[in-house]
């Protein structure tokens, strides 16, 4: 009898909410509407004042169990511009996890040294689990196909900055809407801001049904298209392009058939709105032709730079640094 | 079997717990989840018994053990029809159905091979996101599965 009781009490202890780690960021859905807006203002502040010594004396770990040079450089630049120091690794093959060390042990070991852990992992749910084994705040820099909240924050900041608002926008998502985690996270984050979505994709890569249910439940208007037509482009404020990858297709003939249908060329923008901006999480291959780059509506390179400011804001959030106070003392 | 004999089958326990109306196909899974194979008290497990409602059913009788409600509710995922009878001094003093909890810990494995729970020595955790049909979502990777397709440990 006692053995049974012990078993279930043990389960009980772990079933509820963890007393952890409130300032970690695992998923964009951890952040409320108000907090999103506040973080965007903070990102704007860092764009105007990128260099601060507010992380003086702080050490931040960047643990990249899966390589991602772009994301790592952006985070490490953010820490450096805030005056903090960085330790970490950029590839799991150089760490003890290849010797069979558990994620838990690696996180516990690193927690002894640092004030903040920024981690990317190839397994889904890794960052959530990390928050349960340490008191050090965790920022998820991507966990497999699951979440990548700092990417979403920089997308939101790019939209906010170029449109002057997040509310009531026509947002068109193009390309791989089935596997593209950036479009899924952006869709979920936009639920607070009454967007109208257009989903443009071939049948094999169309928006998964669970996200359409999410839209229905949140009263979000959306329309699906297989044609990347002028009508769609001309009624759009934000054109969010993604890459259509060959390896996503079970039928290679299908890939050959659709691979060029969702490419954007400069001439397709002739009748577009003046305020249209083109976003892309990068790296792009040929889904945006080079002749678009010089169009002032092309925004993907600035978008990547915005990642720095968005990440500075997220780092301050994780460390409990009040950026609004910073502003006051600057005046 | 007469009604009287059926009653006897359930009540022939001085003190303890009878879990009745377990679907036959999941009886042994229920035994596993309850962890009763390690008990040293008198234990009766019956299966493929006649059931008016479900054709056949399984039953578990455990003498002198009163499980916490949360333990019994752990079988609700696989045996939502199960009914718990608490027996004291040969009398059924309490009779209640099992209730599916909001969070299910350590019973179901995630069907996503890239989920952290399948690669790290840790307990799984699922949230019940829908009760009709029962659908559970992995706390870690977010994958959802309906209870009939859920892989129980
Ligand atoms: Zn999972």
């Amino acid at each position: 009898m006692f053995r049974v009781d012990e078993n279930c009490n043990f389960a009980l202890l772990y079933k509820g909410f963890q007393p952890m780690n409130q300032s970690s960021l695992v998923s964009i859905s951890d952040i409320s509407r108000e907090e999103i807006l506040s973080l965007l203002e903070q990102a704007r502040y860092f764009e105007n004042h990128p260099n601060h010594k507010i992380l003086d004396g702080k050490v931040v770990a960047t643990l990249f169990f899966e390589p991602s040079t772009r994301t790592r450089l952006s985070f490490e630049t953010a820490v450096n511009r805030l005056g903090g120091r960085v330790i970490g690794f950029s590839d799991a093959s150089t760490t003890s996890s290849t010797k069979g060390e558990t994620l838990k042990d690696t996180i516990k070991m690193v927690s002894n040294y640092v004030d903040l852990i920024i981690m990317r992992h190839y397994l889904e749910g890794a960052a959530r689990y990390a928050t349960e084994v340490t008191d050090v705040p965790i920022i998820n820099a991507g966990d497999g196909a699951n979440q990548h909240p700092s990417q979403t924050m920089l997308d939101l900041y790019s939209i906010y900055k170029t449109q002057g608002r997040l509310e009531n926008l026509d947002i068109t998502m193009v390309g791989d809407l089935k596997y593209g985690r950036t479009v899924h996270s952006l869709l979920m984050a936009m639920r607070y801001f009454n967007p109208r979505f257009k989903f443009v994709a071939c049948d094999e890569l169309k928006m998964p049904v669970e996200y359409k249910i999410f839209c229905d439940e949140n009263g979000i208007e959306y329309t699906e298209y297989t044609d990347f037509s002028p009508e769609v482009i001309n009624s759009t404020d934000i054109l969010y392009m993604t890459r259509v990858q060959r390896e996503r297709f079970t039928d290679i003939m299908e890939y050959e058939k659709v691979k060029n249908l969702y490419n954007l060329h400069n001439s397709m923008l002739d009748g577009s709105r003046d305020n249209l901006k083109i976003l892309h999480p990068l790296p792009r291959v040929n889904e945006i032709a080079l002749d678009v780059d010089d169009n002032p509506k092309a925004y993907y390179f600035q978008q990547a730079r915005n990642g720095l400011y968005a990440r500075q804001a997220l780092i301050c959030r994780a460390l409990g640094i009040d950026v609004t106070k910073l502003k006051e003392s600057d005046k | 079997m007469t009604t009287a004999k059926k009653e006897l089958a359930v009540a022939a326990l001085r003190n303890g717990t009878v879990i009745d109306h377990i679907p036959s196909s999941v009886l042994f899974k229920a035994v596993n989840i309850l962890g009763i194979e390690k008990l040293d008290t008198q234990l009766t497990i019956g299966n493929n018994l006649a059931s008016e409602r479900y054709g056949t059913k399984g039953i578990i009788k455990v003498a002198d053990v009163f499980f916490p409600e949360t333990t019994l509710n752990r079988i609700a995922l696989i045996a939502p029809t199960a009914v718990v009878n608490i027996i004291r001094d040969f009398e059924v003093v309490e009779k209640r159905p099992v209730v599916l909890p909001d969070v299910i810990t350590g019973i179901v494995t995630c069907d996503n091979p890239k989920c952290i729970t399948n690669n790290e020595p840790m307990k799984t955790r699922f949230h019940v996101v829908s009760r009709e049909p029962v659908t559970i979502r992995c706390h870690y990777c977010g994958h959802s599965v309906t209870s009939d397709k859920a892989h129980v440990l």
Side-chain angles (χ1 to χ4, degrees), chain B:
Chain B
M1 199 188 266
T2 68
T3 312
K5 274 182 180 167
K6 257 195 255 174
E7 288 301 317
L8 192 66
V10 175
L13 201 60
R14 176 185 281 277
N15 291 301
T17 306
V18 176
I19 308 161
D20 199 1
H21 300 295
I22 302 169
S24 288
S25 57
V26 298
L27 175 78
F28 288 97
K29 275 186 178 176
V31 168
N32 258 335
I33 290 172
L34 293 171
I36 51 180
E37 72 272 20
K38 294 175 198 131
L39 287 177
D40 46 18
T41 57
Q42 208 180 83
L43 189 67
T44 313
I45 295 171
N47 205 9
N48 303 319
L49 306 172
S51 161
E52 279 163 30
R53 271 180 285 176
Y54 310 109
T56 67
K57 65 173 183 179
I59 191 166
I60 299 171
K61 295 200 281 183
V62 188
D64 302 322
V65 175
F66 302 97
F67 299 89
E69 199 171 334
T70 50
T71 306
L72 294 167
N73 285 342
R74 285 161 66 85
I75 69 167
L77 182 71
I78 56 159
T81 55
V83 174
V84 174
N85 298 272
I86 308 295
I87 317 285
R88 290 189 199 274
D89 207 15
F90 298 109
E91 296 283 331
V92 177
V93 296
E94 194 187 337
K95 195 182 182 88
R96 58 181 159 79
V98 293
V99 179
L100 188 66
D102 294 332
V103 180
I104 296 164
T105 303
I107 298 175
V108 181
T109 52
C110 185
D111 67 351
N112 172 13
K114 293 193 74 186
C115 178
I116 185 71
T117 60
N118 288 316
N119 294 273
E120 182 87 2
M122 60 185 285
K123 275 181 186 288
T124 63
R125 190 191 315 172
F126 287 82
H127 300 270
V128 175
V129 290
S130 158
R131 285 171 185 268
E132 200 52 53
V134 172
T135 307
I136 57 175
R137 194 183 64 224
C138 177
H139 174 72
Y140 296 96
C141 77
H143 274 231
S144 294
V145 65
T146 49
S147 63
D148 53 322
K149 296 202 179 74
H151 188 264
V152 175
L153 292 171

